[in-house]
Amino acid sequence: MGKPWRPPNKRRMPDEDAQILAAVRELVAEKVAPRAAEIDQRGEFPQDIRKLFAESDMLGIPIPSEYGGLGGSFLTYVRVVEEIAKACASSSLIVAVQELAMLPILIAGTVEQKSKYLPKLASGEWIAAYALTEAGSGSDAAGSMRTRAEKRGDQYILNGQKIWITNGSVADAVCVFAVTDPTKGANGISAFLVEKTFPGFQVGKIEKKMGIRGSPTVELIFDNCEVPAANLIGPEGDGFKIAMKVLDKSRPGIAAQALGIAQGALEYATKYAQERIAFGKPIGQQQGVGFMLADMKTEVEASRLLLYEAARKCDEESDDVTLWAAMCKLKCGDVAMRVTTDAVQVLGGYGYSVDYPVERMMRDAKITQIYEGTQQIQRLVISRALVGRWKG
Ligand code: CAA
């Protein structure tokens, strides 16, 4: 008798994507993991890892092949970010922020803009950044934005400051959101692609941070910055909607980073609990620690299912991407914080030492509850998707 018939598994990864993932796994184990502690301690952007990712085509996974990318799925993209984050959260941000910053062009750019910029980003020749946040405008991204863009002839003149801009100091081009019509609220914001060589573009303060210390987070200053009108992305006034559509597809990338950090901490704590003896047996065999590990594992696997479903929804251009992106970012971020905190606890005093990786993982996890929309903003987005928005 032959094998019983089973319906084809439409959700299986295409072979090509599985190959990408296998190659990334190997590269991370050989080249990224051994550098992770040093990257954190030095607090420097790892140019060697950036080069490695560029040479391995990892910076253009979701960019279509006609623009030099791999044309891979979002599911593959999030799995790659997760794989890197297991070893080094700072390095995973190189891939995640390249995706975040190229999405405005991919979503709303003209053919000319796509042809000019996407191949440079896909190849890793250029690094890009995404500048939405300002000192007074974090969660309230539209209502409190102050950076202005005024049209003068065939240019826009930008004035203002952005803060917390990941990779801003190493970026060759930055997607900047600025107010073009202050009377129109969210519909008076526009998006621009600003090259670092445009007159009036400056890098300001470089933040010193608790975690992701190998990823530069900086202030950007626009002082009568001259941006060609051809670098307006999408129509004038569409900038906020573009920013939100981008976050719908980039929040799963941050969820993947969080999940990778959690998985890395879980693996380390599990191995430690198998080897560390107390009261005559491995601590993992003692209920207090064994049950902690059981909860950590369950939470990590549940988060993974949510994240991969959100990524599939991005691939299918599903109507409820906003909801799923927010849910996976919320769940994975909170799980990363809890699992890494518990991993430190499993290791006891050793967990608190910089000689072991779990304290770095705990520090790195915290930011995933803050950037690309705080956990409070994710809950706002989720609840609005459920019950609508009060417009009274
Ligand atoms: N897709 C398309 N359009 C959307 C949208 C979406 N997901 N979300 C909102 N919009 C539209 C609305 O329909 C509305 O359009 P109309 O005026 O035509 O009706 C317009 O945008 C304004 O929307 P809201 O009225 O809902 O806007 P709001 O002021 O209430 O704010 C918010 C919504 C969800 C709170 C938003 O401001 C937000 O997400 N804040 C968090 C900002 C954030 O995530 N920042 C991250 C920075 S990047 C980063 O952190 C990167 C890094 O370092 C790695």
Side-chain angles (χ1 to χ4, degrees):
M1 224 166 82
K3 283 188 185 164
W5 181 84
R6 287 210 174 84
N9 182 359
K10 293 206 177 109
R11 297 195 145 193
R12 196 170 56 86
M13 273 190 124
D15 286 347
E16 214 170 297
D17 290 8
Q19 278 169 18
I20 296 173
L21 210 61
V24 168
R25 209 166 273 145
E26 205 179 303
L27 186 127
V28 169
E30 273 178 26
K31 304 268 167 73
V32 181
R35 286 272 285 119
E38 190 187 20
I39 288 169
D40 173 62
Q41 277 157 22
R42 288 207 178 162
E44 281 171 10
F45 180 72
Q47 287 291 0
D48 58 327
I49 304 286
R50 172 232 168 133
K51 194 163 168 269
L52 188 74
F53 288 171
E55 285 165 1
S56 312
D57 293 331
M58 284 161 65
L59 297 179
I61 293 168
I63 296 182
S65 47
E66 71 256 40
Y67 296 115
L70 286 185
S73 64
F74 270 92
L75 180 58
T76 302
Y77 157 72
V78 297
R79 292 189 67 175
V80 166
V81 173
E82 177 191 347
E83 209 56 53
I84 305 166
K86 278 184 202 171
C88 179
S90 289
S91 297
S92 72
L93 260 188
I94 300 175
V95 176
V97 172
Q98 191 79 336
E99 194 250 0
L100 166 72
M102 67 81 187
L103 274 172
I105 306 172
L106 196 60
I107 289 173
T110 60
V111 172
E112 290 74 26
Q113 288 169 340
K114 287 179 183 168
S115 307
K116 182 171 177 188
Y117 291 110
L118 290 181
K120 286 189 168 80
L121 299 179
S123 69
E125 180 192 341
W126 276 22
I127 287 287
Y130 181 86
L132 177 67
T133 306
E134 300 179 3
S137 150
S139 293
D140 183 14
S144 305
M145 190 178 290
R146 295 288 172 266
T147 297
R148 285 294 312 269
E150 284 174 81
K151 185 136 191 236
R152 284 193 213 147
D154 57 359
Q155 286 187 331
Y156 283 88
I157 305 299
L158 267 60
N159 279 292
Q161 287 98 30
K162 298 283 176 180
I163 61 163
W164 308 124
I165 308 308
T166 307
N167 289 352
S169 55
V170 292
D172 300 280
V174 184
C175 177
V176 181
F177 297 88
V179 176
T180 38
D181 186 344
T183 65
K184 289 190 177 160
N187 293 314
I189 292 171
S190 303
F192 301 90
L193 207 278
V194 179
E195 296 182 25
K196 71 173 181 186
T197 52
F198 288 173
F201 174 87
Q202 287 168 44
V203 175
K205 184 185 171 207
I206 299 181
E207 301 293 340
K208 290 199 167 81
K209 309 188 300 290
M210 170 195 282
I212 55 159
R213 288 169 39 77
S215 175
T217 309
V218 306
E219 176 190 30
L220 295 179
I221 300 160
F222 304 92
D223 181 10
N224 287 317
C225 179
E226 297 168 20
V227 181
N231 281 33
L232 172 72
I233 306 172
E236 220 180 78
D238 268 16
F240 189 70
K241 288 194 178 81
I242 295 169
M244 293 297 109
K245 284 185 196 160
V246 166
L247 291 172
D248 287 345
K249 290 204 164 158
S250 67
R251 284 175 178 157
I254 295 306
Q257 180 191 41
L259 179 67
I261 297 170
Q263 177 69 41
L266 170 65
E267 284 173 14
Y268 199 91
T270 303
K271 192 160 179 296
Y272 181 87
Q274 285 170 315
E275 290 167 1
R276 171 76 172 174
I277 307 291
F279 304 103
K281 58 181 177 182
I283 59 168
Q285 301 285 337
Q286 313 207 31
Q287 202 179 67
V289 174
F291 279 18
M292 273 174 87
L293 292 170
D295 285 345
M296 289 155 77
K297 170 78 175 162
T298 307
E299 288 292 293
V300 164
E301 296 300 343
S303 307
R304 181 169 290 118
L305 291 174
L306 194 61
L307 168 63
Y308 289 3
E309 187 60 21
R312 286 187 191 106
K313 284 181 180 281
C314 287
D315 281 323
E316 289 159 8
E317 302 281 348
S318 170
D319 288 344
D320 52 3
V321 162
T322 305
L323 168 68
W324 279 80
M327 289 196 300
C328 74
K329 157 61 166 83
L330 174 64
K331 180 71 183 168
C332 293
D334 283 356
V335 165
M337 200 62 240
R338 183 176 157 198
V339 166
T340 54
T341 306
D342 284 351
V344 170
Q345 192 67 24
V346 170
L347 268 77
Y350 295 107
Y352 204 63
S353 162
V354 293
D355 293 340
Y356 292 78
V358 288
E359 65 81 35
R360 165 171 51 85
M361 291 167 170
M362 182 177 158
R363 286 186 286 106
D364 286 344
K366 185 60 204 170
I367 191 61
T368 69
Q369 294 184 306
I370 299 173
Y371 61 15
E372 295 217 9
T374 61
Q375 302 302 67
Q376 288 68 29
I377 288 298
Q378 308 311 322
R379 288 185 173 92
L380 180 86
V381 171
I382 296 163
S383 61
R384 280 183 183 177
L386 287 173
V387 297
R389 189 190 160 171
W390 174 249
K391 295 203 172 161

